[in-house]
Amino acid sequence: MEINFEQLRPIGLTQSIANQLYTLKDPLPDGARLMRITEVQRDWFGLGDGPLEHRARALHKLLHDLQEYGDTLTVGDWVLVEGNAGGELWITARLPPVTQIARRANDGRRQPLASNVDTALLVMGLDDDFNPRRMERYIAMVRASGVVPVVVLTKRDIGRDVQQRVEQLRHRLPPDIAIVAVNGLSDDAAEQLRPWLSQGQTLVLLGSSGAGKSTLTNTLLQEDVQSTGGVRKGDGRGRHTTTARSLHQSPAGACIVDTPGLRTWRADADAEALAATFDDIETFASRCQFRDCRHESEPGCAVRAQVSEDRLLNYHKLLRDAQRGQQTPMERMAQRRKWKALGKAGSARARDKRG
């Protein structure tokens, strides 16, 4: 199979991605072409081959096989595409992603957000959207996926206590995390983010509704490709203006994936991988009196003595979410029955005491 690197490199093809062709079980069919998914709709997919955009459908067998492993096609995937006698294009295979950011639904199902991503721009507004604990969780989940996180604080021009909030994050987050405060409507935003916008790089914007992702996307692309909207006056939450993930190429050369707002984001990583992203906690844990210290109420805990209570609570919450995400449906049902029985027993004891 011939690959036109000169044509595909601008939309993110790398040698490590191309090497994934050797991992496919079936032989490469004659006439197959390598393309990248740029948009996912219910019945069709947008594809890019460099200079042109195409539409295609996916073979039912491919979708079924991916579903068997809790996976599906998503924006950023590299796929093999074949044409039929009627001129229709069909996706027949997917290259295993080099990186993939995903989340777990409430029922434990895995939902990919974007594939083959180099950098995640974690967008948070400097208005009522500002939430350091949420940002801390976002960073942990992105790093556990093997993707570089960059914190982008939007609405610098209208936010409250801008400098204090930026310094609060610098003090709280690991020192190797880049933090950039921007006005998403200003061309300066593209200049501030230029180090991550070089040709062939793929970025995904992640954040809650109303954080300014679509506004920033339009600024980076220098055209209005996404609708934008305001936020509610009561709580600062945004309305869903972006309803589907899509990949676009910026004038600077990078591919940018915009995504709908995240209401919730449950980790798609095991507890061990997530724990490793809290570098400070891992370092201090080696100094705890007990090797199996859980950093809760044990004596001689070095972590509680050095790490803020809020950060430690966030750490425990993230690990609990990860453990729940790895449970099977039967395990979740058993856990619910256990807590229901404990609740009934507690109520019975209370009634006995009251006579």
Side-chain angles (χ1 to χ4, degrees):
M1 178 179 178
E2 293 186 4
I3 300 177
N4 189 333
F5 265 93
E6 184 178 351
Q7 181 173 295
L8 296 175
R9 189 175 288 113
I11 59 170
L13 183 64
T14 64
Q15 188 61 55
S16 59
I17 293 173
N19 288 343
Q20 297 294 81
L21 286 166
Y22 298 105
T23 67
L24 299 179
K25 296 179 180 179
D26 298 326
L28 299 180
D30 293 335
R33 299 166 59 190
L34 188 61
M35 298 187 190
R36 193 173 196 189
I37 295 180
T38 59
E39 187 177 358
V40 177
Q41 296 295 338
R42 178 170 297 182
D43 299 320
W44 58 272
F45 297 84
L47 302 173
D49 64 4
L52 299 175
E53 291 288 325
H54 307 271
R55 286 175 57 146
R57 287 185 286 175
L59 292 182
H60 178 75
K61 181 181 184 302
L62 171 62
L63 296 176
H64 180 268
D65 290 346
L66 290 173
Q67 192 174 24
E68 285 285 300
Y69 293 95
D71 205 351
T72 188
L73 295 174
T74 192
V75 170
D77 276 328
W78 286 91
V79 294
L80 296 184
V81 181
E82 299 179 55
N84 62 16
E88 296 175 318
L89 294 179
W90 288 85
I91 299 172
T92 58
R94 183 197 70 169
L95 275 63
V98 174
T99 62
Q100 188 178 74
I101 298 176
R103 66 177 175 180
R104 293 281 175 177
N106 291 335
D107 60 2
R109 288 182 298 109
R110 187 173 182 274
Q111 298 177 336
L113 300 177
S115 291
N116 300 301
V117 172
D118 301 295
T119 304
L121 300 183
L122 304 178
V123 183
M124 184 169 70
L126 285 163
D127 51 5
D128 291 334
D129 184 57
F130 187 76
N131 187 326
R133 296 185 70 186
R134 185 176 70 231
M135 179 57 68
E136 209 166 45
R137 292 194 295 272
Y138 281 9
I139 290 171
M141 289 184 278
V142 165
R143 292 177 75 177
S145 302
V147 176
V148 176
V150 174
V151 175
V152 181
L153 302 175
T154 57
K155 307 181 185 180
R156 185 187 63 188
D157 52 323
I158 59 174
R160 298 195 308 272
D161 304 321
V162 171
Q163 194 56 41
Q164 294 93 319
R165 287 179 164 181
V166 172
E167 290 304 317
Q168 179 184 353
L169 280 186
R170 291 193 193 282
H171 177 73
R172 177 164 181 156
L173 300 180
D176 60 330
I177 300 294
I179 301 174
V180 183
V182 303
N183 171 4
L185 293 169
S186 170
D187 291 338
D188 289 342
E191 187 61 33
Q192 290 175 269
L193 295 171
R194 186 170 296 278
W196 299 279
L197 292 173
S198 57
Q199 188 180 69
Q201 291 290 297
T202 299
L203 299 84
V204 61
L205 280 75
L206 298 169
S208 60
S209 297
K213 298 187 305 301
S214 295
T215 299
L216 183 59
T217 297
N218 292 340
T219 297
L220 296 179
L221 298 176
Q222 296 181 14
E223 60 177 315
D224 293 339
V225 299
Q226 298 287 23
S227 300
T228 60
V231 297
R232 297 192 306 224
K233 292 182 179 180
D235 55 10
R237 284 194 172 187
R239 303 169 178 85
H240 280 297
T241 54
T242 301
T243 57
R245 302 172 191 91
S246 54
L247 182 147
H248 311 271
Q249 194 165 13
S250 72
C255 296
I256 298 175
V257 179
D258 191 22
T259 62
L262 293 170
R263 295 290 190 199
T264 59
W265 187 3
R266 289 191 175 181
D268 176 49
D270 58 38
E272 184 177 351
L274 288 170
T277 66
F278 284 80
D279 302 336
D280 53 343
I281 293 178
E282 288 289 288
T283 299
F284 294 127
S286 62
R287 307 176 193 173
C288 289
Q289 182 175 340
F290 301 104
R291 292 182 62 182
D292 60 348
C293 182
R294 300 182 62 183
H295 323 307
E296 293 176 344
S297 59
E298 300 88 344
C301 176
V303 172
R304 291 205 320 276
Q306 298 290 335
V307 179
S308 70
E309 182 180 0
D310 190 49
R311 179 168 168 79
L312 196 52
L313 287 171
N314 210 18
Y315 168 80
H316 286 305
K317 180 183 185 302
L318 189 60
L319 296 192
R320 286 195 302 271
D321 287 345
Q323 290 162 354
R324 281 197 292 268
Q326 291 178 296
Q327 289 179 326
T328 65
M330 294 298 292
E331 288 171 336
R332 283 194 292 273
M333 290 172 62
Q335 189 177 52
R336 283 196 294 268
R337 286 195 296 268
K338 172 186 173 182
W339 287 111
K340 188 174 181 179
L342 290 172
K344 286 183 177 179
S347 299
R349 286 194 298 271
R351 285 196 300 271
D352 291 342
K353 288 181 179 179
R354 291 193 301 266

